[in-house]
Amino acid sequence: MEAPLVVSRRHAGLGYADETAYDRDSFGQLWARPALRPHHRRGRPKPHTVHPYRQRRVMADMLCQVCTRKPPSPDGPYLFLMRDRSGPVMEGELTASPPVCVPCAVISVQLCPEIRGRHVCAWVDQAPAWGVAGLVYDADTLRPVSEKLVRAEYEGPLAPWMVAQRQVVQLGGVRPTDLETEVAAFGLDRLEEEFKRVAAMVGAGR
């Protein structure tokens, strides 16, 4: 059941009737309230359904979106893997796809049909928060006016009337690469050990 939306008296835009501090991010943006189930009640992974809370957490801390491993350095660089739409990852590009570690990138291009055979990747030095992606609501009826997720910049005109479901970052210091190069640098023996780790983690989460 969706939380009831209201016109917020405290914030210029949408709010929840029973809003708590956890409903907004550090920029004051309202977020969707996803279900948080205990491990024994969680089903199989749904690759096409991104959990808003999880996406928000891994993006904020630049964790691997698959296994939640921390980057080698908290100051970057970070590896971003995306679907190839029009060429390599570009400087200043916006994305709602969090970073990945090299082993999980290899697993992803094998298992995810969205990027299998049509992916690009790059090392990125900075990925500051740009805004969010979510559903926009009418200020009078409080009904959604968008069926698909749209992007809104923080402090932009759409943001107050949006319920966010994804964090969007802007990529800076972009250095395009390819997975073959990264696998060679990572090492096949080390990669095999990481595959075992990820497989054990997934098995424990079932």
Side-chain angles (χ1 to χ4, degrees):
M1 183 176 179
E2 295 184 358
L5 289 171
V6 297
V7 176
S8 175
R9 295 180 179 179
R10 181 178 178 183
H11 302 274
L14 296 175
Y16 291 127
D18 57 346
E19 188 172 317
T20 72
Y22 299 103
D23 291 317
R24 294 184 184 270
D25 60 24
S26 58
F27 295 89
Q29 177 64 49
L30 188 70
W31 276 73
R33 284 180 173 175
L36 295 174
R37 297 185 176 89
H39 281 286
H40 70 278
R41 291 185 57 196
R42 295 178 187 176
R44 297 179 63 85
K46 298 179 180 179
H48 299 291
T49 303
V50 180
H51 195 280
Y53 176 79
R54 188 178 190 279
Q55 193 271 355
R56 174 179 163 186
R57 181 174 68 89
V58 297
M59 190 69 97
D61 295 331
M62 288 286 109
L63 307 178
C64 173
Q65 62 175 292
V66 179
C67 71
T68 67
R69 165 171 279 191
K70 295 181 180 180
S73 169
D75 299 321
Y78 319 103
L79 182 65
F80 279 79
L81 175 72
M82 305 180 210
R83 181 177 179 179
D84 184 1
R85 291 186 170 86
S86 58
V89 183
M90 302 296 291
E91 183 74 19
E93 187 167 339
L94 301 176
T95 183
S97 179
V100 291
C101 63
V102 172
C104 288
V106 176
I107 294 172
S108 297
V109 299
Q110 295 175 350
L111 299 182
C112 180
E114 290 294 314
I115 59 174
R116 187 188 303 137
R118 46 183 177 179
H119 59 271
V120 291
C121 57
W123 287 103
V124 174
D125 290 330
Q126 306 96 24
W130 174 88
V132 290
L135 297 181
V136 179
Y137 288 74
D138 184 89
D140 295 320
T141 66
L142 300 184
R143 294 179 179 177
V145 296
S146 60
E147 295 182 359
K148 297 182 178 181
L149 301 186
V150 298
R151 290 176 177 176
E153 189 173 6
Y154 283 125
E155 306 300 333
L158 287 181
W161 304 104
M162 172 179 287
V163 178
Q165 296 186 32
R166 309 280 190 276
Q167 176 96 55
V168 178
V169 297
Q170 187 167 33
L171 307 181
V174 175
R175 301 186 302 280
T177 185
D178 57 74
L179 284 186
E180 291 77 10
T181 299
E182 298 309 321
V183 167
F186 197 84
L188 291 179
D189 291 341
R190 185 181 170 200
L191 194 66
E192 288 295 332
E193 290 300 316
E194 286 299 306
F195 286 161
K196 294 177 183 178
R197 181 185 68 86
V198 175
M201 178 193 69
V202 173
R206 289 179 180 174

